[in-house]
Structure formats: C-alpha cells, structure tokens
Amino acid sequence: MANYLEFEKPLAEIESKAEELRAMGRANEEMDIEEEAKALDKKAADLLKDLYKDLTPWRKCQVARHPDRPHCKDYIEALFTEYTPLAGDRNFADDHAVMGGLARLGDTPVMVIGLEKGFDTKTRIERNFGMARPEGYRKAIRLMELADKFGLPIITLVDTPGAYPGKGAEERGQSEAIARSTEKCLQVKVPLISVIIGEGGSGGAVALATANRLLMLEHSVYSVISPEGCASILWKDAEKMREAAEALRLTAQDLNQLGVVDVIVKEPVGGAQRDRTAAIEGVGKALKATLKELAKKKPNALVKDRRQKFLSIGSKGLAA
Amino acid sequence: MNWINNYVRPTINSLFSRRETPDNLWTKCPECGTMLFHRELKENQQVCGECGHHMLITPRERFEHLFDGGIFTEIEVPDVPLDPLTFKDQKKYPERIKAAQKKTGEKDAILVVEGEIGRTPIIAAAQDFSFMGGSMGMYVGNAIIAAAERAVATKRPFILFSAAGGARMQEGILSLMQMPRTTVAVQMLREAGLPYIVVLTHPTTGGVTASYAMLGDVQIAEPNALIGFAGARVIEQTIGEKLPEGFQRSEYLLDHGMLDRVTHRKDMRDELVTIVRMLMGMSPPVMGDLPAPKEAAETPDQPAEEK
C-alpha cells in the first residue's frame, strides 16, 4: 500500500520486510523464505487488527481523511447504475465539489448527491478539496426539489472538511445557502438518507446530512469544528488536536450514543482504504436496507419523523 | 534622559488615563475615541452620539427600549442537560458557564420574551454576545424553539436579534444539531403564516448565520455589524490575499443582495412595528413612545385571525 498513516509506521516496517524477503526469494531460488514471510504476514495482520481495534478519536480523524479511502465518486460509480449527472445552480455556476444526479440503486430510481474531494492534485483542485461554495449548496437544493417533485428518494454522501471559506463564497451568501439547504432537507416529502463516508465537517456537512436516517462509516467523523480548529481556539495551540478530538466526541460510536447517528456501517479490518470494494459493498447493503424500511412511510410521515428526530436530539447525554 | 522615559512619562500617562475613566461613569467609544457619559449612552441605546457606532447591548437593555413602557414578560425555556459531553479544555465547561452566568446575571446566551411594541403583540428573542460569545448550544436551540412555539400558540410574529460567534464547541455535535433544530422552529412559523423577522447585530457568524439567522422573511441589520460564515482570518489564510475594506459588514452584505435593510438602532423599533403590522394585516401603527399596555380588559387590536 502506498500511503501509511503515522500510527501505522510499525505496520509499514513489517509489511515492507515481508516484501523484501519475497523479492529476495524470487531472486534466489535456493532460499526458502516462504515460511518466514508468512510469519511476517501473520504478524502484520495481527498488528493491523490490534491497531484498528480501538482507534483513538484523533486516529479516526486521520483514517477518515486517508487519501486512499473511497470517495463519493467511487461509491456512486460502484453502487449505482444509470448515473446521470445533473449540473448547475441556474444562478451562478456549477460547483464541482458537489456531485449529483439521477441514478438507480438496484431497480429504484433515486437522486444521489455528494461531496467529492478528488483523488490527485488535479482533481483535488477541480473539486476544491470537497469544500463547497454557495452554488454547490444551491445545486443540491435544486436536485432535492427535483427529487421531491417526482417522488424519488434522496441519498447524500458526505465527505468534506467544511464549506469553503472564500471571499466570493461569502459575497454570494455561503451561510444563506447552507441554511436553505438544511431547510430543504427538512421539507422534502421523500425518504432522505445520508451517509458520512469520511469527514463530516460542520455546517458544510449539516446542509446535506439533515436526513431521515444518518449512516456513518465506522471510522468516519462528524464534528462542529475540526480538532485543529478547536485546539487553536480553546487550547490556543493547534498541536493539541488529540485532546480536542477526544473532547469533541466526534466518532461514529459516540454520535450513535447521542442519538445523532442511526446506523454504523462496519469497515474492513484496517479501514475502508485497505479494502475499498468491501467498504463500498457494506455501504450499499446498508443503504438498500434503509431505503426499504423508509419506502413504507407516507410522505407526510417522512417530514414529521425527520423533524421529530432533530427536535428530540439532545435529550440523551453521554456517560462520563 | 532615561528616567524621563522610564518614570516620568508612565506616571503622567497613568494619571491621565485614570482621569479619563472614573468608575463606570464614562465609556470610551471604541470607534472614534469620544468619552461618552454613561447615562447618555444608555439613553442612546449604547450608540455613540458622536460617530453613531453601535456598541454591544444586553438583551434586557434592548428590550427595555423596544417594548411599550419597557414592559415585557420572559418566556420559559425548557431545561437542558448541563455539560452533556463532560467537555474539558483548559477549563471545565460547567466552570465556563458559571463564570458567564455570574458576569451577565443571565442563565444562558439568549433571552426570550413577549410583549407589545407600538401596541403590536410580538414574541422576541435576543442573543447575548457577552455570554460566551453568544454561542449557540442546546439552550439557545431550545429557546428559539420555545419562542416559535409560543408565537404559533399566540399567533404573534417573532422578532429575533442575533449576536453570536457561532456554535458552542463545548457541546460538540449537539451544538451543531441546533442548526437543523432551529430550522424546524423557523418552519413552524412559516406554516402558521407568521412573520419571522431577523435583526442581525454585531457580530453574527458561523453556524448561527448558516441557520435561523439567515432564514427571516425580512432580514435587517444594524449598521457596521460583522455578518458572515467564516472568520476573516481563516478566509485570508485560505485565499492568500487581504480582504477589502468593509468586508462582511452590514453595508457590504446589503450591496451584495444578502439583506433587505440596514437600520440604525434608534429607528429599529418603529421600523419593526411598521413592517410587522403590514405583514399581519393590521391597521397603521400609532408611533412614538407608548405607555405599557393596560391589563387584558383593554386589549389592543389583535392580529387578523383569518387572512
């Protein structure tokens, strides 16, 4: 694997040792290295399991931001058929940080909308690192309205450091666009399911994640502020991000306890980036099950339940 | 000559600066530096008489000026669990809350009330920037919901005065969830056909702007208030350039089509009365300072029941 996180360094060492050994074996046929290499593999597998068994909140942040993790585009391509992208906010521009369009999940036509970060320098710049501008949220609003009109369920895939803090974005009403998008989420009379696949960065995520059901990948995070931002404000030291990540309770597990997250989708051992196919399949299964459950509900009940869900958030606290 | 610099000058300076601010009687305008007499400043609703700079005003003081005869009744806000995440940074969250309560004499960063302005019954809420930067946590969310519910129950318009740095980090995701929660409150008002007027005051930023504070039927701001989503420093770091003069200020937003009006604090009450009465289909207002409403026996005109 190309990219190891800082805490995975011991694992990188073992895995590269095993690889070296195998290379040596290939070069020199008389050497029997297989047994030793297998032992290293086993050691690596055990270590991986151990590392991911109980990830600290800060490590989860790192995994959630892992460059090899499947992104919105990967999920759309793998899980949906007939994906037909629809562009633009009919007002100013088409924001490439927000993907969206008609697609089928199984046989069901749906509207899929998501935040895409990009996978290399070129696409990251094109996608603005997944940070949407007002026109992105306004495009999302337009697509949600379209889905609502034709009774299509809406699926949103959330992965963003946050809404873009730029001059033009402010001038064109970033906050108003986010507020209206959140409002639209609460208005639509169709099932709205949201999945946090990586980072759920504050208001920029809320604008798309105000759903009937919120699914979250096991090692994804959702927070009011980034741990670095929180640390620099409350600790006056951005290096205290570990403490901040701990205090913010941003993991899927904590959010589930607080009643914010409905379903935690298991990730393969070592995180979604280790086995992208398995991770994507897991999300697909969870989406289909959730969609099936919500399909039984009447339009007005969907709106009412969604509102009630948010009104009752906060009645449950966390044990210390 | 060193002793002049080291001893004489500081002594003279300290004598002067001490004379400038005898015990709370005078306040220096942070904008133009004029010394303003306390009583006069209070009469002016904390606006500098020299340069018109709008200073922070507490919800209580604002409401004393806003309501007829300065009379209003507080609306109870449902209690919230204290410190739901057991959050601790350099200080424990409950300690920060207690310090803010002691400083302001208020329970949290918002006050919700009902009363009459220009004989027009309204519900009003004002955020208190002096309470932990006006930050929005569960209490503020509950207050907005309580205000909306009361407005719907009494068929009154809701006027909100915003002032907040954003969501309260110490309540983590639960403060973020106030964005959708307060949006539900706004929807209750919409469905009941009741006006929701937002008055943005200095400063209103972050998750507050990105939810209920930008969803008003009419959006008014006080002059020169800072209003935005991201902080100016973050934006400058991101785009690597200096921001223009007046960026994210009321007048700049008005120019960019993000507000309906920018209104001086002294004209705010009359303007609100005018707008609300038209939206509610009521007769033209009687302007000027009105005494407190008499008891229910002499009920002033009610909002039109059917429109």
Side-chain angles (χ1 to χ4, degrees):
Chain A
M1 252 206 350
N3 290 298
Y4 285 97
L5 295 169
E6 200 193 310
F7 71 88
E8 293 176 321
K9 270 197 182 131
L11 181 73
E13 272 170 34
I14 301 173
E15 286 189 342
S16 72
K17 239 188 236 165
E19 205 165 301
E20 263 173 46
L21 203 61
R22 290 215 163 88
M24 255 161 65
R26 278 192 294 276
N28 191 343
E29 275 172 29
E30 278 155 45
M31 270 174 78
D32 182 21
I33 50 89
E34 205 37 49
E35 203 167 310
E36 210 177 319
K38 268 191 183 148
L40 282 173
D41 285 349
K42 167 95 174 45
K43 204 171 154 197
D46 288 348
L47 182 61
L48 185 71
K49 217 169 164 184
D50 210 44
L51 280 175
Y52 275 79
K53 195 176 62 195
D54 219 357
L55 287 179
T56 62
W58 173 242
R59 285 182 177 181
K60 281 200 189 260
C61 291
Q62 293 172 287
V63 175
R65 296 169 183 171
H66 199 291
D68 296 333
R69 209 172 159 80
H71 286 171
C72 171
K73 189 167 174 284
D74 304 309
Y75 286 96
I76 293 182
E77 280 169 3
L79 290 178
F80 298 85
T81 53
E82 296 177 35
Y83 175 56
T84 312
L86 302 173
D89 69 343
R90 300 297 182 272
N91 188 30
F92 180 76
D94 183 41
D95 185 342
H96 300 293
V98 177
M99 297 181 73
L102 294 162
R104 279 182 197 272
L105 184 70
D107 287 335
T108 317
V110 299
M111 184 67 78
V112 59
I113 306 168
L115 289 152
E116 169 59 45
K117 285 180 170 176
F119 58 91
D120 59 14
T121 309
K122 187 171 162 272
T123 54
R124 276 182 199 126
I125 290 168
E126 202 179 289
R127 304 283 185 187
N128 201 27
F129 301 85
M131 293 183 283
R133 296 178 166 95
E135 42 277 19
Y137 295 110
R138 291 185 179 128
K139 167 164 137 187
I141 294 171
R142 198 176 70 76
L143 298 187
M144 285 192 265
E145 276 169 358
L146 182 62
D148 197 24
K149 184 173 173 187
F150 292 97
L152 306 183
I154 301 166
I155 292 167
T156 67
L157 302 165
V158 177
D159 190 14
T160 179
Y164 185 58
K167 178 169 167 272
E170 291 287 325
E171 288 172 345
R172 294 192 296 279
Q174 184 70 292
S175 30
E176 196 257 3
I178 292 172
R180 297 272 173 214
S181 185
T182 312
E183 190 181 30
K184 186 50 70 187
C185 286
L186 287 161
Q187 278 169 344
V188 291
K189 292 189 157 109
V190 294
L192 203 168
I193 308 169
S194 187
V195 195
I196 297 186
I197 53 176
E199 268 184 292
S202 195
V206 171
L208 293 181
T210 303
N212 287 94
R213 295 283 181 279
L214 182 60
L215 282 49
M216 224 171 136
L217 276 179
E218 192 184 347
H219 304 311
S220 61
V221 294
Y222 188 17
S223 178
V224 64
I225 186 170
S226 72
E228 294 93 330
C230 180
S232 73
I233 297 171
L234 289 182
W235 277 263
K236 316 256 182 285
D237 178 4
E239 290 299 308
K240 297 276 187 216
M241 65 263 183
R242 283 171 194 79
E243 288 88 336
E246 204 84 42
L248 282 167
R249 310 281 186 165
L250 40 67
T251 68
Q253 294 70 25
D254 278 348
L255 298 180
N256 186 234
Q257 261 196 55
L258 286 165
V260 174
V261 168
D262 302 292
V263 180
I264 300 176
V265 181
K266 285 280 273 177
E267 291 188 31
V269 177
Q273 71 277 9
R274 280 241 155 197
D275 189 346
R276 293 159 59 99
T277 317
I280 293 171
E281 267 171 22
V283 169
K285 253 189 211 157
L287 273 177
K288 280 180 189 161
T290 312
L291 197 56
K292 201 172 157 194
E293 178 216 331
L294 291 178
K296 293 177 210 136
K297 292 197 179 247
K298 296 228 159 61
N300 286 332
L302 286 164
V303 177
K304 214 179 135 207
D305 289 1
R306 201 183 297 130
R307 282 190 192 184
Q308 200 45 53
K309 175 188 163 182
F310 284 94
L311 286 180
S312 53
I313 282 177
S315 45
K316 281 196 269 186
L318 273 180
Chain B
M1 294 290 275
N2 244 353
W3 66 278
I4 293 186
N5 282 331
N6 292 342
Y7 178 72
V8 178
R9 271 203 194 134
T11 313
I12 292 173
N13 283 345
S14 76
L15 276 175
F16 273 106
S17 62
R18 222 178 296 153
R19 262 181 46 194
E20 267 180 0
T21 48
D23 289 280
N24 284 340
L25 277 176
W26 298 86
T27 302
K28 192 173 175 183
C29 171
E31 198 64 27
C32 68
T34 309
M35 296 308 295
L36 301 159
F37 189 49
H38 205 249
R39 204 188 309 148
E40 221 165 284
L41 193 57
K42 205 170 156 72
E43 273 164 22
N44 278 338
Q45 304 188 49
Q46 307 294 331
V47 176
C48 171
E50 273 308 302
C51 70
H53 175 67
H54 285 51
M55 300 179 204
L56 293 185
I57 182 168
T58 64
R60 242 167 245 286
E61 195 180 342
R62 184 186 291 279
F63 289 155
E64 276 160 22
H65 288 279
L66 185 71
F67 286 99
D68 298 347
I71 300 296
F72 55 88
T73 317
E74 278 183 52
I75 292 170
E76 206 182 316
V77 175
D79 268 331
V80 293
L82 181 72
D83 195 16
L85 308 184
T86 51
F87 194 99
K88 184 173 179 277
D89 48 90
Q90 287 170 317
K91 247 189 204 169
K92 281 183 182 161
Y93 176 41
E95 283 170 24
R96 283 189 195 269
I97 288 253
K98 268 184 210 130
Q101 285 173 337
K102 204 171 159 202
K103 181 176 131 195
T104 60
E106 302 290 350
K107 212 169 163 188
D108 208 302
I110 192 167
L111 191 63
V112 187
V113 302
E114 57 191 327
E116 290 186 8
I117 58 168
R119 291 285 183 267
T120 317
I122 64 155
I123 308 294
Q127 292 184 267
D128 191 347
F129 191 73
S130 54
F131 193 110
M132 290 185 78
S135 56
M136 168 179 69
M138 287 174 55
Y139 185 90
V140 170
N142 277 1
I144 305 271
I145 294 167
E149 284 174 342
R150 183 74 185 153
V152 172
T154 55
K155 297 199 177 70
R156 290 179 180 205
F158 176 35
I159 300 173
L160 171 95
F161 298 84
S162 71
R168 188 175 291 171
M169 284 175 284
Q170 289 87 349
E171 291 183 23
I173 194 79
L174 295 176
S175 67
L176 193 66
M177 288 302 112
Q178 303 315 310
M179 290 176 65
R181 290 185 89 233
T182 53
T183 306
V184 173
V186 176
Q187 285 180 323
M188 292 176 188
L189 294 163
R190 291 216 206 296
E191 275 157 24
L194 295 166
Y196 169 46
I197 316 291
V198 178
V199 179
L200 297 142
T201 80
H202 180 76
T204 302
T205 58
V208 170
T209 339
S211 58
Y212 60 91
M214 271 293 165
L215 293 172
D217 295 311
V218 179
Q219 295 279 136
I220 309 172
E222 287 189 340
N224 202 34
L226 179 77
I227 303 159
F229 178 66
R233 201 160 40 95
V234 175
I235 300 172
E236 285 185 338
Q237 278 167 7
T238 309
I239 62 174
E241 55 180 281
K242 273 261 170 251
L243 291 164
E245 178 79 19
F247 183 72
Q248 290 183 325
R249 296 288 170 163
S250 307
E251 296 73 14
Y252 196 91
L253 266 80
L254 186 71
D255 266 355
H256 284 83
M258 291 300 145
L259 296 174
D260 291 295
R261 304 179 59 79
V262 175
T263 303
H264 195 287
R265 199 174 280 165
K266 74 172 165 25
D267 303 323
M268 192 65 80
R269 176 182 172 277
D270 285 354
E271 188 165 312
L272 289 170
V273 173
T274 306
I275 292 172
V276 159
R277 289 186 73 93
M278 282 199 264
L279 290 177
M280 296 289 283
M282 297 163 89
S283 58
V286 181
M287 285 301 183
D289 284 337
L290 294 169
K294 294 204 184 95
E295 283 309 304
E298 210 183 16
T299 323
D301 40 17
Q302 286 290 318
E305 294 268 320
E306 281 163 84
K307 272 193 283 184

